[in-house]
Amino acid sequence: MIRIRARLGPGHTSIEVDGHEGHAEQGRVCAAVSAIAQTALLGLEEIARQHPDLVSIQITEEK
């Protein structure tokens, strides 16, 4: 089961994606969710790089 939690508030948004789906259609659902989440993250990183005075991004890697 893949779980996606989004929190929306005045001036902030957070999205958390976790879990794994390894059954339906040879894992294609899991791959699709992962690809969309990673693409969004890469896009936000690029915006922060282009506009460091307006956008900052902090990414932490859990082990």
Side-chain angles (χ1 to χ4, degrees), residues 1-2 5 8-10 18 24 26-27 29 32 37 39 47 54:
M1 166 76 64
I2 300 168
R5 286 181 278 299
L8 307 175
D18 66 12
Q26 294 81 38
V29 171
T39 299
I47 294 296
L54 302 174

Side-chain angles (χ1 to χ4, degrees), residues 4 9-11 14 17-20 26 29 34-35 38-39 41 44 47-48 50 56-57 63:
I4 302 168
S14 68
V17 180
D18 66 12
H20 182 66
Q26 294 81 38
V29 171
S34 181
Q38 292 295 323
T39 299
L41 184 57
L44 291 168
I47 294 296
Q50 290 179 19
S56 68
I57 188 166
K63 298 186 185 216

Side-chain angles (χ1 to χ4, degrees), residues 8-56:
L8 307 175
H12 69 276
T13 301
S14 68
I15 299 173
E16 182 178 327
V17 180
D18 66 12
H20 182 66
E21 168 284 312
H23 301 91
E25 302 180 40
Q26 294 81 38
R28 283 183 262 170
V29 171
C30 192
V33 170
S34 181
I36 291 168
Q38 292 295 323
T39 299
L41 184 57
L42 289 170
L44 291 168
E45 283 183 302
E46 183 61 22
I47 294 296
R49 187 186 68 73
Q50 290 179 19
H51 303 282
D53 54 326
L54 302 174
V55 180
S56 68

